[in-house]
Amino acid sequence: MTIYPLRSGLHAIGGTSLARVKAVMDQRAAERTYGIDEAGLTPTQGWSLPALRRAWNQAKADVAPWWAECSKEAFNTGLDALARGLTNWSDSRTGKRAGRRVGFPRFKSRRRSTPSVRFTTGAIRVEPDRRYVVLPRLGRLKLHESARKLARRLEAGTARVLSATVRRDGGRWYVSFTCAVQRTQGMPACPDATVGVDLGVTHLAVLSTGEVEPNPRHVDAAARRMRRLARRASRRVGPDRRTGRRASKRWERASARLGRAHARVAHLRRDGLHKLTSRLTREYGTIVVEDLHVAGMLANRRLARRIADAGFAELRRQLAYKTGWNGGRLVVADRWYPSSKTCSGCGAVKTKLALSERTYTCTLCGLVLDRDVNAARNLAALAATVAGSGSETRNGRGADRKTRPGGPVAVKRQPGTATAGKTGTVPPQGRTSNHELTYAS
Ligand SMILES: [Zn+2]
């Protein structure tokens, strides 16, 4: 498989164009200090994808005389990422983009970054035997797994391929297809049933039914092997950016094995989470989870590895879109809702509850229950208090929003433009107000 021309093309393009954008910006800044008026400055370099592409097409013969060997999509992928990065940086600087500050795009290295290229035009198809895919420039590629699920949808006409992305991850090459899918609206097995899900570190999830989903702790299981592989890599001659030393072949091999070990953990974790979220969304009509402050918990260095290993944020993301697919709804309890401190029997709230207390004992009604089951039951009860608001709710900006009854869910979307924050939050019990609720739809 000759992907190497694509790889070098990809990084050359992003780097060359980024250098140009930077050079023009620096030039203009310097000219301003000389007192040149705005009209006399070097013309700006546009940041939009078409503008960057135009500049690239003018410059490519000089900076990359080998450009014709590569697919134009390789250049386009790099330019698209650069345009996106520059927009994010400027939006973040002007306050248009919420969340963590986005820095100025950095130069990438062919050796360090994940090579990927997205094909949007040309011959993209799955061969009838479902064992091969055909991509522009790369031709016919043998797949490790059968592409039958995609092929079935394509044959039935319920999916249309919009793009195919080839990337290398953990030592393997992957191809993923972005499709517009016509999805039949599912129906949970028990549409009226509600389940509260308490996420934790001791157990991955405890359901209000008393069912316990153990935390598989893949990182712990692989830790010894990963330590050994990391130690082995550290004894080899690695790359050094200060002296410009290249890594040895033996270091490359050792670090590739370490990368495989990390990738395996990530795959195991993803598989487990998908199975859990699929099971929950297929069975229950309403699922209630807590809005955990995952970024804040990851700042706690003693818990960070465990929490990252459990994958709370990913679990929540999967629940949000799968409830939409399966016709259920997801209710997210407010971050400050005291699910652990409240008695699920009488509603009394304790002021203090140490993390070490694994059993909840109510001094008022005498309830004795596992701590996590108690929390999960409280979450489930929360759904009943908001159920009266029906399917029509408002989102955070106050606009009306209906839970969609059905129809196709996946629509054409530019990659990387997923709408964030599709799930709203429920305020703590007692100050529930309809207009502050949204459900994932
Ligand atoms: Zn009680």
Side-chain angles (χ1 to χ4, degrees):
M1 196 150 82
T2 47
I3 292 192
Y4 284 94
L6 293 178
R7 286 176 71 184
S8 42
L10 175 64
H11 295 298
I13 173 75
T16 312
S17 304
L18 175 57
R20 187 178 153 83
V21 169
K22 269 178 104 151
V24 171
M25 282 168 75
D26 293 347
Q27 177 70 23
R28 281 171 65 87
E31 284 167 1
R32 277 202 197 93
T33 61
Y34 303 149
I36 300 175
D37 60 343
E38 287 292 316
L41 294 179
T42 307
T44 48
Q45 168 64 53
W47 290 351
S48 66
L49 178 56
L52 288 173
R53 210 185 282 148
R54 257 196 312 279
W56 167 252
N57 283 332
Q58 277 168 13
K60 66 185 176 188
D62 299 325
V63 296
W66 40 261
W67 64 267
E69 290 167 32
C70 302
S71 165
K72 69 176 194 305
E73 300 280 10
F75 306 128
N76 197 52
T77 306
L79 288 175
D80 183 43
L82 177 61
R84 234 181 262 276
L86 286 166
T87 310
N88 289 346
W89 166 72
S90 102
D91 285 355
S92 178
R93 225 163 57 124
T94 54
K96 225 169 100 186
R97 180 193 162 101
R100 195 185 288 178
R101 281 292 291 273
V102 178
F104 193 77
R106 276 171 300 182
F107 287 104
K108 286 194 170 184
S109 158
R110 178 162 62 90
R111 288 182 192 85
R112 288 181 64 87
S113 46
T114 303
S116 84
V117 57
R118 190 172 67 240
F119 295 97
T120 51
T121 51
I124 303 171
R125 62 171 195 274
V126 180
E127 293 274 44
D129 66 355
R130 298 161 182 195
R131 293 245 154 231
Y132 291 85
V133 292
V134 175
L135 295 176
R137 275 305 177 105
L138 300 175
R140 204 158 158 263
L141 304 173
K142 176 85 172 69
L143 300 175
H144 184 74
E145 290 173 310
S146 163
R148 63 181 185 281
K149 288 202 172 173
L150 174 64
R152 263 184 224 141
R153 278 198 172 275
L154 292 175
E155 281 158 21
T158 55
R160 191 163 54 86
V161 173
L162 301 173
S163 68
T165 306
V166 176
R167 74 195 293 264
R168 193 180 140 95
D169 196 10
R172 287 182 185 159
W173 287 98
Y174 292 87
V175 56
S176 59
F177 295 86
T178 304
C179 301
V181 176
Q182 193 120 35
R183 190 176 279 281
T184 46
Q185 182 69 34
M187 194 64 181
C190 316
D192 299 323
T194 300
V195 69
V197 183
D198 181 71
L199 301 174
V201 171
T202 8
H203 309 294
L204 177 60
V206 175
L207 310 186
S208 53
T209 55
E211 208 180 322
V212 173
E213 184 72 28
N215 187 348
R217 298 201 181 173
H218 297 299
V219 165
D220 289 8
R224 227 180 118 207
R225 187 178 148 75
M226 293 203 308
R227 261 202 307 277
R228 213 180 58 233
L229 290 170
R231 202 159 51 227
R232 183 187 293 173
S234 79
R235 282 195 294 257
R236 310 279 192 255
V237 179
D240 192 335
R241 290 185 72 182
R242 280 170 309 157
T243 58
R245 187 178 67 193
R246 288 273 200 89
S248 70
K249 280 272 183 289
R250 304 179 81 218
W251 181 89
E252 302 242 334
R253 271 202 303 272
S255 74
R257 290 189 71 172
L258 179 61
R260 285 281 336 135
H262 277 286
R264 183 183 147 78
V265 168
H267 292 159
L268 286 169
R269 181 187 300 134
R270 192 162 52 193
D271 180 53
L273 288 180
H274 270 299
K275 280 175 180 157
L276 173 64
T277 53
S278 289
R279 187 162 66 83
L280 288 176
T281 51
R282 277 191 197 134
E283 193 166 344
Y284 298 97
T286 305
I287 299 169
V288 193
V289 290
E290 280 170 292
D291 178 21
L292 293 172
H293 183 34
V294 177
M297 293 197 301
L298 286 177
N300 179 341
R301 284 167 51 190
R302 296 170 77 176
L303 281 175
R305 197 185 61 205
R306 287 273 154 73
I307 286 162
D309 189 26
F312 294 149
E314 177 63 11
L315 191 112
R316 161 95 179 272
R317 189 188 72 83
Q318 289 179 9
L319 282 177
Y321 75 77
K322 286 186 187 179
T323 43
W325 285 357
N326 290 321
R329 66 177 184 139
L330 177 70
V331 176
V332 180
D334 185 273
R335 189 170 292 175
W336 310 115
Y337 172 65
S339 61
S340 300
K341 291 177 189 158
T342 309
C343 170
S344 60
C346 66
V349 182
K350 286 193 180 193
T351 46
K352 267 187 196 155
L353 184 71
L355 262 173
S356 56
E357 281 181 57
R358 300 314 307 168
T359 309
Y360 188 94
T361 314
C362 183
T363 46
L364 270 142
C365 70
L367 175 107
V368 179
L369 194 63
D370 177 78
R371 174 202 177 95
D372 299 327
V373 176
N374 179 57
R377 284 196 188 169
N378 283 324
L379 289 170
L382 198 60
T385 68
V386 302
S389 64
S391 67
E392 197 172 324
T393 55
R394 286 162 198 272
N395 69 9
R397 294 187 304 277
D400 278 329
R401 189 180 155 164
K402 285 183 174 133
T403 32
R404 268 176 294 177
V409 171
V411 288
K412 181 167 181 176
R413 200 188 73 202
Q414 290 304 313
T417 54
T419 45
K422 270 194 153 182
T423 49
T425 55
V426 181
Q429 241 165 350
R431 49 189 185 89
T432 307
S433 53
N434 287 347
H435 68 275
E436 283 180 37
L437 293 171
T438 46
Y439 306 129
S441 59

